[in-house]
Amino acid sequence: MKLCWSLPLCWFVIACGDSSSGDDVAADAGIDAHVGRPDGVALCYSPAADADPATTGFWTALRAGDRAARDAAIAALDAAATAAPAEEEFHLLLGLAHLWRLAEPLPGELTPAVQVTSATGARDHLRRAYELCPTDHRIAAWLGPVLIRYGRAVNDAAMVAEGEAVLDTGIAHYPSFVLFSKLLVHADAPRDAPEFQQALDAVLANGDACSAVVADPACEDHPHAAHNREGGVVFFGDALVKAGRRAEAEAIYMAGLREPAYATWDYQTLLTERLATLDARIAAYATPDPADDPVAAWAAPNQCAMCHSD
Ligand code: HEC
């Protein structure tokens, strides 16, 4: 069984408000998990879980894009969740650490055994996190696609339906964050299929949702997603390229170049190469054979790092 991944979150919009500068996001100082969230959306992290070495160790690894440190981070979070099973943050981060391994595997991790362990770990710990913290509707953005993709891979219609329901709940409560995940679950559909249109509609709606809010972490760069806006541009632009909407795709990639944190972003060539090969990429999507389609952000081996690496 092969589980093909791509997850994540977040969004971008040309006309969105201020974003923080690259330098400001270097430290956690000043991060407030509640500022900018819609009414009714609240995280459930405790100071003890925030300060636990399992938590800080995981963040050190993710922010450095250090996949070699990932297994140790997973083991530490697993031990922390076992020792304090009511701490939602451990389950959430453990689920996401598994998802990271699924989305950005090391060469030795491309085995069915590791993929199944990762998919199951992501599903079960994200489910538990959402049960423990039903107001953190960000979780729907991760759990929904995990259930849908896992369900599709094992032909489990009930799991797929659960994932769709989770995604709808999340979109109803936190559209600026969760709409992005609708892109992830439908972007691989043929570009003329209604499913791909849904992916495109969701990413456009995500842009609108972001232009309607101020200081929402879903729409800005911040310490836990230092290049959210730059990375988001790549996803958004790739969806427009696949749809053949050249002018809009070019505009959004160009907007990425003007982001304040672009200067400190490790993945600048993702944007410059896309701009340089725009016509060829659009032409490749337009052929009937999907085998020549460019590798899009949602299938890329750096799909977490482009938003999360400092
Ligand atoms: C398009 C940018 C983007 C991509 C791609 C992305 N993320 Fe995120 N991620 C975000 C944003 C934005 C947040 C939300 C932070 C918040 O709401 O406080 C987030 C949150 C998180 C968090 C938890 C943050 C917290 O505050 O506890 C983790 C862990 C995480 N992402 C891991 C991943 C992994 C693993 C992947 C790849 C499968 C990924 N992300 C892909 C932007 C992105």
Side-chain angles (χ1 to χ4, degrees):
M1 173 175 58
K2 172 151 172 32
L3 296 171
C4 279
W5 281 86
S6 359
L7 251 256
L9 286 303
C10 57
W11 92 240
F12 166 86
V13 80
I14 299 177
C16 224
D18 295 342
S19 60
S20 40
S21 82
D23 292 335
D24 291 346
V25 298
D28 275 4
I31 191 171
D32 182 330
H34 300 289
V35 170
R37 309 268 182 211
D39 286 347
V41 173
L43 276 47
C44 301
Y45 297 168
S46 71
D50 277 343
D52 194 280
T55 300
T56 56
F58 166 75
W59 278 112
T60 301
L62 184 65
R63 292 171 65 162
D66 186 357
R67 295 178 298 159
R70 186 169 50 204
D71 274 357
I74 289 175
L77 284 166
D78 212 12
T82 304
E87 282 286 8
E88 182 257 350
E89 185 168 10
F90 295 142
H91 290 285
L92 187 148
L93 296 182
L94 183 51
L96 287 170
H98 279 290
L99 184 59
W100 181 21
R101 190 164 60 189
L102 204 51
E104 296 188 351
L106 289 165
E109 294 170 343
L110 276 164
T111 65
V114 176
Q115 291 203 317
V116 171
T117 303
S118 305
T120 307
R123 181 193 62 187
D124 294 351
H125 289 286
L126 290 171
R127 250 192 201 143
R128 186 72 193 124
Y130 211 1
E131 283 164 12
L132 289 168
C133 188
T135 58
D136 186 353
H137 290 290
R138 301 176 311 164
I139 299 169
W142 301 302
L143 177 59
V146 167
L147 288 164
I148 291 170
R149 290 181 163 248
Y150 198 168
R152 282 178 189 158
V154 298
N155 253 325
D156 182 336
M159 208 196 296
V160 175
E162 182 190 345
E164 283 166 350
V166 165
L167 213 47
D168 287 345
T169 300
I171 289 170
H173 288 92
Y174 200 171
S176 58
F177 198 70
V178 188
L179 273 167
F180 191 80
S181 291
K182 215 150 175 178
L183 168 74
L184 303 173
V185 297
H186 293 307
D188 278 333
R191 68 174 210 156
D192 296 325
E195 290 81 7
F196 180 71
Q197 189 58 47
Q198 284 187 39
L200 191 63
D201 291 348
V203 84
L204 295 170
N206 202 158
D208 291 343
C210 273
S211 35
V213 294
V214 176
D216 181 344
C219 307
E220 304 296 338
D221 291 345
H222 57 93
H224 281 170
H227 295 284
N228 179 33
R229 292 177 64 86
E230 296 73 40
V233 163
V234 183
F235 283 77
F236 202 160
D238 286 4
L240 290 164
V241 165
K242 180 166 173 177
R245 293 166 66 158
R246 188 189 191 286
E248 290 154 283
E250 185 174 36
I252 202 135
Y253 290 144
M254 294 290 291
L257 305 182
R258 294 190 298 271
E259 279 295 321
Y262 176 80
T264 58
W265 190 39
D266 287 347
Y267 294 96
Q268 294 177 354
T269 52
L270 289 181
L271 280 184
T272 52
E273 280 173 9
R274 276 165 166 76
L275 280 164
T277 58
L278 195 52
D279 290 317
R281 294 172 76 88
I282 290 174
Y285 277 122
T287 65
D289 182 6
D292 66 359
D293 288 0
V295 176
W298 51 83
N302 44 20
Q303 58 183 281
C304 311
M306 67 176 88
C307 290
H308 282 287
S309 284
D310 288 347

